[in-house]
Amino acid sequence: MKHVSILITNDAVLASIADPRIMFTGVNDFLAAAGKPPMFKVQLIGLASEVRLHSGLFSVHTDALLKDVPKSDIVIIPAMGGDMATAIKRNEEFLPWIAQQYSGGAEVASLCVGAFLLAATGLLNGKECSSHWRFANQFREMFPQVTLVDDRIVTEQQGLYSSGGATSYWNLLLYLVEKHAGREMSIMAAKMFALEIDRKSQSPFIMFNGQKTHEDEPIKKAQEFIEANITERISVEYLADKYAIGKRHFERRFKKATNNTPVEYIQRVKIEAAKKHLESSRKNVNEVMYDVGYTDTKSFRTVFKKITGLSPIEYRNKYNTITVKLAS
């Protein structure tokens, strides 16, 4: 039987505590119904016997204190609310315990922005990690030694797991169920909890918001110029000349400041504008393409799908309110 420790951290998001408990105990129920022994021993682990969350509106009673759990097989780090730096500070006592469990053979999984606490242990240094796309810029600033893959739903490296934003952590939970209890049990859980199994990307949900907290003013002005001129075809050479910076030096500074190359940034700004058109207007795909400065249909569709994971038509059918109403 695998011992699952769900950490009850300060500032934890309640759902990201309850949901993994429901998933793993639910699998035990499925197994019991099939006349099989349980797979998971699930415990809520904290620094105190009672942890109050969401400004004291809810309280969680732990099954055991952190100091009384010497060995665990699977450690679940929930999402946290509020300021991430403050949340890490308030949960520093968990860090050595998490690292100790991992060195003792435990698997460690962070849900959504729980990745910040996992990264604070140092275990993710030199590795890839997923988290909520909205916190991508902040995560990269705080943990430059970690490679954030903000489009991925589930990331696994050497027994360390992380999930994308919000409820996408259900897919990580399904992933862990499949690994330890088998594909059949994972499929049953997916059907019981009405989950889309094997979902790989959170790209369709990402709203691009360019990183502007840096101090490189010419690059910031270049970003603002790109965002104000989405209908124009802007080249890297033009931007470098406009801000009197050599092309190669401009590209290096831009990448360092924004975590995107200039070409990637231009593409993301244009595709974000295209998404908004496709969500709210009656324009067809070609009209939207011209509105955001593309003239080549194949190029537009290729870049759109690369960034969102969907074709322009698929995106419009999924998110346009007019299309959804007509379909219903």
Side-chain angles (χ1 to χ4, degrees):
M1 186 183 298
K2 297 290 183 180
H3 183 271
V4 179
S5 295
I6 303 172
L7 302 185
I8 314 303
T9 57
N10 296 305
D11 305 307
V13 175
L14 185 61
S16 64
I17 292 169
D19 291 344
R21 185 180 185 280
I22 289 169
M23 174 64 83
F24 292 117
T25 58
V27 169
N28 284 344
D29 291 341
F30 302 153
L31 290 168
K36 298 178 181 179
M39 174 65 66
F40 304 106
K41 178 184 178 182
V42 184
Q43 285 193 307
L44 306 181
I45 310 298
L47 300 172
S49 58
E50 179 184 9
V51 182
R52 299 187 69 80
L53 301 173
H54 296 275
S55 301
L57 290 174
F58 302 98
S59 63
V60 178
H61 297 270
T62 58
D63 297 308
L65 299 180
L66 196 72
K67 63 182 180 65
D68 297 328
V69 182
K71 182 75 171 70
S72 190
D73 298 302
I74 302 172
V75 177
I76 304 293
I77 302 174
M80 301 181 296
D83 176 73
M84 290 298 107
T86 301
I88 291 171
K89 188 73 175 175
R90 283 169 47 78
N91 290 288
E92 283 181 332
E93 290 182 65
F94 285 99
L95 300 180
W97 185 89
I98 295 169
Q100 178 187 1
Q101 294 301 311
Y102 180 69
S103 65
E107 297 175 316
V108 182
S110 65
L111 309 186
C112 189
V113 291
F116 280 80
L117 194 62
L118 178 54
T121 65
L123 296 175
L124 286 175
N125 289 353
K127 300 181 179 68
E128 292 183 342
C129 173
S130 298
S131 188
H132 198 299
W133 57 263
R134 183 184 174 194
F135 293 82
N137 289 337
Q138 183 182 0
F139 186 93
R140 290 187 175 106
E141 286 179 14
M142 292 179 65
F143 303 106
Q145 311 95 322
V146 182
T147 300
L148 184 69
V149 282
D150 50 3
D151 64 328
R152 206 176 299 169
I153 291 290
V154 175
T155 302
E156 174 190 5
Q157 288 203 315
Q158 300 172 19
L160 297 171
Y161 305 82
S162 53
S163 76
T167 55
S168 65
Y169 61 65
W170 280 99
N171 289 88
L172 173 53
L173 298 176
L174 283 176
Y175 188 86
L176 291 171
V177 167
E178 179 170 348
K179 179 173 183 179
H180 294 288
R183 179 70 172 178
E184 182 180 352
M185 196 56 58
S186 177
I187 292 172
M188 184 177 293
K191 291 180 177 179
M192 184 62 67
F193 297 117
L195 301 171
E196 182 184 345
I197 199 168
D198 293 334
R199 188 158 63 94
K200 304 295 185 185
S201 175
Q202 61 178 345
S203 293
F205 308 111
I206 293 175
M207 293 186 289
F208 182 67
N209 184 21
Q211 155 74 300
K212 294 195 183 78
T213 58
H214 58 84
E215 302 300 324
D216 195 330
E217 288 303 318
I219 299 303
K220 196 174 295 184
K221 288 178 180 178
Q223 292 174 262
E224 292 167 352
F225 180 83
I226 292 167
E227 293 166 9
N229 294 275
I230 59 170
T231 61
E232 304 299 323
R233 297 188 67 180
I234 303 170
S235 68
V236 179
E237 291 81 359
Y238 175 83
L239 291 172
D241 288 343
K242 182 177 178 64
Y243 297 102
I245 304 172
K247 181 174 178 288
R248 289 187 179 180
H249 188 44
F250 176 82
E251 289 176 321
R252 285 196 295 269
R253 281 172 61 173
F254 200 101
K255 174 72 172 179
K256 181 180 178 181
T258 70
N259 294 304
N260 289 278
T261 68
V263 170
E264 289 170 345
Y265 199 91
I266 292 167
Q267 290 176 340
R268 285 183 170 274
V269 168
K270 288 178 178 290
I271 297 306
E272 189 62 31
K275 285 163 58 181
K276 289 181 170 61
H277 283 303
L278 292 170
E279 289 166 7
S280 58
S281 77
R282 292 179 178 270
K283 294 180 179 180
N284 63 39
V285 171
N286 281 346
E287 289 173 318
V288 170
M289 176 185 74
Y290 293 128
D291 282 346
V292 298
Y294 279 90
T295 56
D296 182 85
T297 303
K298 182 179 179 181
S299 175
F300 175 67
R301 294 176 189 274
T302 299
V303 174
F304 193 98
K305 187 157 189 175
K306 176 185 176 183
I307 290 174
T308 69
L310 300 171
S311 72
I313 291 175
E314 289 171 335
Y315 190 90
R316 184 187 62 186
N317 291 342
K318 190 177 184 70
Y319 292 109
N320 186 281
T321 54
I322 300 167
T323 302
V324 171
K325 286 178 181 177
L326 290 175
S328 60

